[in-house]
Amino acid sequence: MFIKVIKNREGTQYVSIVEGYRDKDKVKHRTIKSLGKLKDLEAGNPNYLAELKENVKAGKYQPEPETLSLNLDLNKKISNPLQNYGWLLLDEIYRGLGLSKVLR
């Protein structure tokens, strides 16, 4: 992992933690976490970028895994006979991720 500073068209610099990996013969990058504008990050600590680079290089930064918790009520009546409890699990994941809001 390493720190990548990207400049947009307006000249604003953004900081990201990036991981390099190999896909067949090509080296690719995957953004682990976007931290925000460099100017905002350095407002509280002028040495923020140097300290962040040291922490990432030392292996102190480990990304938090994303989790999703589900609660299923297997006593719930299924009104449609074509649906089964497998559908109930998929429906709970669908609602837990908020896909209905996104697709509206």
Side-chain angles (χ1 to χ4, degrees), residues 44-62:
N45 181 3
N47 296 327
Y48 179 81
L49 192 59
E51 291 173 6
L52 182 64
K53 285 181 181 180
E54 288 176 15
N55 288 339
V56 169
K57 190 173 183 179
K60 294 181 182 176
Y61 177 80
Q62 294 298 323

Side-chain angles (χ1 to χ4, degrees), residues 16-73:
S16 301
I17 297 175
V18 177
E19 176 183 46
Y21 68 99
R22 192 172 285 276
D23 183 21
K24 297 179 185 173
D25 292 339
K26 295 184 178 182
V27 176
K28 296 186 176 186
H29 295 157
R30 169 178 29 230
T31 301
I32 302 297
K33 186 169 185 176
S34 297
L35 299 172
K37 295 179 184 178
L38 179 61
K39 185 175 91 174
D40 295 342
L41 296 170
E42 287 185 334
N45 181 3
N47 296 327
Y48 179 81
L49 192 59
E51 291 173 6
L52 182 64
K53 285 181 181 180
E54 288 176 15
N55 288 339
V56 169
K57 190 173 183 179
K60 294 181 182 176
Y61 177 80
Q62 294 298 323
E64 297 177 16
E66 295 181 19
T67 59
L68 174 66
S69 62
L70 298 174
N71 295 321
L72 296 176
D73 182 14

Side-chain angles (χ1 to χ4, degrees), residues 9-20:
R9 292 180 192 161
E10 290 81 28
T12 306
Q13 294 179 322
Y14 290 90
V15 179
S16 301
I17 297 175
V18 177
E19 176 183 46

